[in-house]
């Protein structure tokens, strides 16, 4: 697959249409078994480097409360001072990886995802200034890395792997390792969604 050198000019419209089409299906597929749903948001950051567009990921530390030692996008739970999911995503990205809000250009949203045990997550898609610098929270993030959209968009680079959930094997999307990093679960679904919309 050829490198992605340009973001489509109508990507915001593609995101909005996709969210409208897919939200009901996603809502009916996963039901959170709790009345205490926590609203959250993640930043799905595109960055141009080495002649093509990549997605930026973070690798979480062993110290965090959830999803220890896993790959994710920057993000977290809504706080009372946040005016929108975009505000949550920007605040969390600054707290976790030191990404300055002025270096982030919001494009739109992917469908809201339900994540066990009790999170409902709004994915906010944005592109970053290529000279963006990062200062990682030592308690939360061990490293950041990027993967080209062209690699994420190739079907031969992902597979469904069974995960045991409540005694039942559930197929979960996994990417094959990229330079030692494994993207899987909701993060992998979001990466594949975005790669598909851009292609």
């Amino acid at each position: 697959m050829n490198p992605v050198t340009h973001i489509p000019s109508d990507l915001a419209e593609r995101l909005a249409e996709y969210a409208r089409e897919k939200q009901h299906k996603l809502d009916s597929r996963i039901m959170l078994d709790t009345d205490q749903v926590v609203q959250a948001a993640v930043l799905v950051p595109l960055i141009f480097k080495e002649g093509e567009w990549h997605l930026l990921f973070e690798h979480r530390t062993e110290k965090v409360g959830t999803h220890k030692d896993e790959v994710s996008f920057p993000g977290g739970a809504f706080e009372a001072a946040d005016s929108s999911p975009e505000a949550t995503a920007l605040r969390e990205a600054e707290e976790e990886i030191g990404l300055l809000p002025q270096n982030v250009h919001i494009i739109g949203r992917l469908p809201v995802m339900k994540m066990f045990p009790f999170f409902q997550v709004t994915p906010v898609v944005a592109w970053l200034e290529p000279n963006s610098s990062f200062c990682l929270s030592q308690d939360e993030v061990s490293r950041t890395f990027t993967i080209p959209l062209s690699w994420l968009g190739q079907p031969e680079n992902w597979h469904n792997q069974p995960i045991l959930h409540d005694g039942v094997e559930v197929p979960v999307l996994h990417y094959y390792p990229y330079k030692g990093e494994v993207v899987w679960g909701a993060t992998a679904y979001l990466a594949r969604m975005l790669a598909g919309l851009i292609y």
Side-chain angles (χ1 to χ4, degrees), residues 25-181:
K25 182 178 179 181
L26 288 172
D27 287 345
S28 62
R29 191 175 67 185
I30 298 177
M31 302 298 291
L32 297 179
D33 188 22
T34 177
D35 294 329
Q36 304 298 319
V37 173
V38 175
Q39 298 296 329
V42 295
L43 189 69
V44 184
L46 292 156
I47 188 164
F48 193 79
K49 56 181 287 188
E50 299 168 356
E52 62 180 312
W53 285 96
H54 291 61
L55 273 179
L56 175 76
F57 300 88
E58 63 179 36
H59 196 119
R60 295 165 66 82
T61 68
E62 293 279 4
K63 302 176 184 178
V64 290
T66 58
H67 308 294
K68 299 175 187 291
D69 195 32
E70 293 182 7
V71 170
S72 70
F73 291 117
F78 174 85
E79 293 185 358
D82 296 338
S83 59
S84 64
E86 287 77 9
T88 300
L90 289 172
R91 174 182 53 75
E92 288 284 346
E94 186 170 15
E95 291 175 3
E96 292 178 6
I97 63 173
L99 178 61
L100 298 177
Q102 59 264 36
N103 288 335
V104 182
H105 303 270
I106 303 294
I107 303 171
R109 301 178 186 176
L110 285 165
V112 176
M113 304 284 287
K114 294 178 181 178
M115 295 173 60
F116 292 108
F118 45 69
F119 288 105
Q120 186 161 284
V121 181
T122 301
V124 177
V125 179
W127 64 272
L128 309 184
E129 292 289 345
N131 61 349
S132 298
S133 59
F134 307 102
C135 180
L136 309 186
S137 166
Q138 294 184 353
D139 288 335
E140 297 186 78
V141 180
S142 61
R143 56 191 174 275
T144 60
F145 64 95
T146 67
I147 301 179
L149 278 177
S150 56
W151 189 90
L152 292 164
Q154 295 180 40
E156 61 267 28
N157 291 330
W158 69 67
H159 66 289
N160 284 313
Q161 180 175 316
I163 297 277
L164 197 64
H165 178 72
D166 289 340
V168 179
E169 283 195 346
V170 180
V172 175
L173 181 67
H174 283 65
Y175 276 95
Y176 291 107
Y178 181 87
K179 297 183 177 178
E181 301 284 358

Side-chain angles (χ1 to χ4, degrees), residues 11 14 18 149 152-153 158 175 190-199:
L11 182 55
R14 294 187 194 187
Y18 185 82
L149 278 177
L152 292 164
W158 69 67
Y175 276 95
L190 292 173
R192 190 174 70 175
M193 277 185 207
L194 185 57
L197 286 168
I198 289 177
Y199 277 104

